[in-house]
Amino acid sequence: MDDHEEASNAETAHSEAEELLVRRLTEKTPEGNDPDVDALKALPPRWEVRIQTERDPVEEETKAYRAIAREVDDRYDKYDKGQSR
């Protein structure tokens, strides 16, 4: 295959993929749902729940690694001292 044929095959595959995507986005699903409603359901929630903990698992893991080895630079030293960012 020469470069021209490979480029032509790539364009054909690309356009087929685009057509499939357009069909799937615009057609109704087999259950009869509206694509707009399905798209809204797929969005991440507007709010998120955060739980405050007494321990920071990242800090504890960092301390465990620091017991094994030290960093080349000191960019994470402030975490060992209990300082916030």
Side-chain angles (χ1 to χ4, degrees):
M1 236 188 247
D2 66 353
D3 291 340
H4 180 67
E5 288 178 14
E6 287 180 16
S8 177
N9 288 342
E11 287 178 17
T12 302
H14 185 68
S15 64
E16 288 174 6
E18 285 179 344
E19 288 175 18
L20 177 62
L21 179 62
V22 168
R23 259 197 326 271
R24 287 190 177 176
L25 290 174
T26 56
E27 292 176 352
K28 292 191 178 213
T29 58
E31 298 85 33
N33 294 340
D34 184 16
D36 293 335
V37 173
D38 290 341
L40 285 174
K41 288 180 182 177
L43 290 174
R46 189 177 289 178
W47 299 276
E48 63 182 49
V49 176
R50 294 186 181 209
I51 301 171
Q52 185 172 0
T53 62
E54 293 181 19
R55 302 178 312 145
D56 181 7
V58 174
E59 181 180 356
E60 291 179 10
E61 187 174 343
T62 302
K63 286 180 184 179
Y65 281 112
R66 287 214 163 205
I68 300 169
R70 287 280 176 211
E71 291 287 330
V72 176
D73 54 12
D74 61 347
R75 62 184 148 170
Y76 297 111
D77 283 344
K78 64 183 176 183
Y79 295 106
D80 281 346
K81 297 174 185 169
Q83 297 174 356
S84 63
R85 297 182 196 156

